[in-house]
């Protein structure tokens, strides 16, 4: 962690942290989901992501050291995935924005000669399902009741400013950010419109947040999330579990 | 009425329809009852559309509902540690386990639904405090080791209770239990392994494990229910083969299983009276504090209020989501009808 | 209030591997067919139990009634000539 990372490490760390952090947020839903069937669905997605995180982090070093002993500023995930769950519509929005990105990214990555290509090929299948889950729910919430429509629109609007970061270049990832953005926008626009919702028009980045998560700049709630996640592990230095 | 066009598994109006049929045809209830008794005695399974005594149905609904409620309330004490699991491996295991519990709740609510009670009805009763769940989940998970103790002791006790239910006289319940028991064995082993790692770990970890076992041992023994002499439902349930062994019998079996397991763990069970009785070929163990059991059951456990409040809140906060999906389905039902069946002949085979 | 929005019940059938027929695995609630299929995937195949799924609205199933058991199924019991063991074949005759 102290030595300068290889380029492939930087990419693995970025994607691994995305998966780790989103998995953690989804894990917070356990026991709180709107219906039992959805408890099972959300947990499945969380478990897929955690599995991806473990493979990716293990490429870089010891998965637990990386997850539990890094400070907030050393995490390389995008800010989108660390955003708190909010209501179900907020969570579904986060899932939609992120899983479409992740799916497009992994599909591309799978065809490169990157060290991450085999992992990306496997993960792309999982992520395709996550994306489908998010799309199905976006349709139902958007085109459901007046209340669900309003909540879903609020979710889309609130998280929109975290989406610009998804297309910033990542060291070690040989993927063209602009074509990714074009395709992402097309997919999201189509789903959002089909759900009778409106694609937000505001900026996709805040004043100083462009690419910030990937540089180790995070939002306030992330620190609290890490404090909770790391507390037990850090309380017993050197212990094994 | 209600013969060929009655769905076999949706039972909402089945109970009603059955009752009307019976009255209209003035069928001799005694004959039905003796046929039912004979089927149970011959170890045949009772299936949803079979005639069954009202009390049998009511007993099953009560027991299956309580069992289902226990699964979903039981998610809470363990989910309490998902966000703090100390390694990624443990975190994955715990998430999968809590997810299984949601799944088990789901299987069980489905089994109850075949008896003519909807899941929503049962949830409403749970939320209103009119149906119980296992009291064990009214104890708090104070440390990480509690996750292990729940897996080893609580799931262990549950498995001891549940394995005989795989042969329960009511088909859908027995089938749900077969599936659940298969999945539960992972729960118990992961708990044991978790405790083993702690017991063999640092002195602090060992102490954490011992403390958890100290707190969970006695409540686990209470999970088998009051002593046979005081158990109100036992005898009839045994005759109906909803229950196969008495509370005390299962409790004894559990104690005998745990003693050597605790030794291998390097942990002590907190009972000075626990010792092998050569004559009985079983362990003697100390007196259970039943006043604690009844007190927790009546709502005075450390977490009764908290568990129910969280459950209610999840249900209430999810209402708009469930309504949205229902509204969407209603709007788009025409679209659904246009969908081609998965394969030709789907219907015939599925109905068979 | 909650009763008005309870999602319908679906029966789930799982093909455990290619070459086998779908068998009944259990049931679940879902607002519509698409979600039923996805819920079934999450619930009934999370331990690799299947390679294909059917979901059927429980209300769409027509079943025989236990009251008709005798009329439906007993008449088949006295037709042993439907089974190959009914026939005596001289010893040594093969491929029959």
């Amino acid at each position: 962690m102290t030595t300068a990372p290889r380029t492939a490490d930087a990419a693995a760390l970025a994607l691994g942290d995305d998966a780790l952090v989103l998995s953690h947020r989804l894990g917070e839903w356990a026991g709180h989901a709107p219906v039992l069937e959805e408890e099972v669905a959300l947990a499945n997605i969380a478990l897929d992501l955690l599995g991806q995180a473990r493979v990716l982090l293990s490429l870089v070093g010891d998965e637990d050291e990386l997850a539990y002993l890094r400070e907030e500023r050393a995490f390389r995930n995008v800010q989108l995935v660390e955003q708190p769950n909010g209501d179900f519509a907020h969570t579904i929005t986060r899932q939609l924005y992120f899983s479409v990105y992740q799916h497009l990214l992994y599909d591309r990555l799978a065809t490169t000669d990157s060290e991450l290509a085999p992992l990306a090929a496997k993960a792309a299948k999982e992520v395709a399902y996550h994306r489908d889950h998010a799309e199905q729910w976006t349709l139902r919430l958007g085109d459901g009741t007046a209340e669900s429509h309003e909540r879903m629109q609020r979710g889309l609007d609130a998280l929109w400013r975290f989406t610009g970061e998804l297309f910033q270049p990542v060291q070690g990832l040989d993927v063209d950010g602009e074509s990714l953005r074009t395709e992402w926008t097309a997919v999201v626009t189509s789903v959002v419109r089909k759900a009778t919702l409106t694609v937000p028009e505001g900026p996709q980045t805040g004043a100083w947040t462009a690419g910030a998560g990937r540089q180790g700049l995070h939002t306030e709630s992330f620190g609290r999330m890490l404090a909770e996640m790391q507390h037990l592990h850090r309380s017993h230095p050197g212990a094994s579990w | 009425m209600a013969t060929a066009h009655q769905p076999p598994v949706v039972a909402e109006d089945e109970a009603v329809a059955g009752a009307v049929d019976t009255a209209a045809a003035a069928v001799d209830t005694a004959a039905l009852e003796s046929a039912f008794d004979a089927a149970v005695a011959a170890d045949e399974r009772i299936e949803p559309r079979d005639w069954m005594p009202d009390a049998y149905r009511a007993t099953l609904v009560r027991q299956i509902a309580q069992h289902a409620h226990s699964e979903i309330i039981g998610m809470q004490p363990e989910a309490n540690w998902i966000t703090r699991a100390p390694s990624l491996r443990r975190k994955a295991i715990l998430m999968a386990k809590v997810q299984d519990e949601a799944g088990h709740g789901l299987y069980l609510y489905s089994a109850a639904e075949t008896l003519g009670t909807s899941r929503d009805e049962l949830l409403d009763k749970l939320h209103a405090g009119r149906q119980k769940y296992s009291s064990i989940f009214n104890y708090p998970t104070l440390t990480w080791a509690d996750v292990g103790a729940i897996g080893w002791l609580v799931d262990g006790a549950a498995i001891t209770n549940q394995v005989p239910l795989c042969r329960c006289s009511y088909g859908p319940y027995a089938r749900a239990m077969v599936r659940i028991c298969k999945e539960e064995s992972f729960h118990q082993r992961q708990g044991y392994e978790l405790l083993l790692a702690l017991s063999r770990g640092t002195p602090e970890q060992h102490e954490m494990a011992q403390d958890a076992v100290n707190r969970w041992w006695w409540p686990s023994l209470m999970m088998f229910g009051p002593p046979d002499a005081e158990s109100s439902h036992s005898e009839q349930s045994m005759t109906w083969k909803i229950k196969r062994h008495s509370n005390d019998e299962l409790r004894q079996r559990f104690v005998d299983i745990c003693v050597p397991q605790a030794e291998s763990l390097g942990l002590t069970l907190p009972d000075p009276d626990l010792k092998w009785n050569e004559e009985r070929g079983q362990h003697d163990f100390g007196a259970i504090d039943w006043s604690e059991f009844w007190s927790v059951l009546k709502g005075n456990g450390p977490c009764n209020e908290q568990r129910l409040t969280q459950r209610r809140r999840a249900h209430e906060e999810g209402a708009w989501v469930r309504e949205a999906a229902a509204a969407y389905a209603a709007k788009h039902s025409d679209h659904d009808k246009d969908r081609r069946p998965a394969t030709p002949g789907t219907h015939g085979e599925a109905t068979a | 209030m909650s009763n008005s929005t309870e999602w319908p019940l679906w029966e789930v059938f799982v093909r455990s591997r290619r070459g086998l027929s779908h068998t009944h695995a259990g049931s679940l609630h879902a607002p519509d067919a698409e979600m039923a299929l996805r819920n079934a995937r999450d619930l009934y195949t999370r331990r690799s139990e299947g390679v294909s799924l059917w979901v059927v609205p429980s209300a769409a199933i027509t079943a025989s009634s236990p009251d008709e058991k005798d009329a439906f199924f007993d008449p088949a019991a006295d037709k042993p000539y439907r089974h190959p063991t009914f026939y005596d074949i001289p010893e040594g005759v093969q491929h029959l």
Side-chain angles (χ1 to χ4, degrees), chain B residues 135 139 222-223 225-226 289-298:
Chain B
S135 275
Y139 290 86
M222 296 176 198
M223 283 176 69
D289 178 5
W290 289 107
S291 64
E292 175 180 320
F293 173 79
W294 294 114
S295 161
V296 176
L297 193 72
K298 288 195 179 92

Side-chain angles (χ1 to χ4, degrees), chain A residues 15 52 56 102-110 119-120 123-124 127:
Chain A
L15 302 187
Q52 293 166 16
L56 286 160
Q102 209 187 11
H103 188 219
L104 297 174
L105 177 70
Y106 280 179
D107 259 356
R108 279 154 209 242
L109 205 52
L119 164 106
V127 175

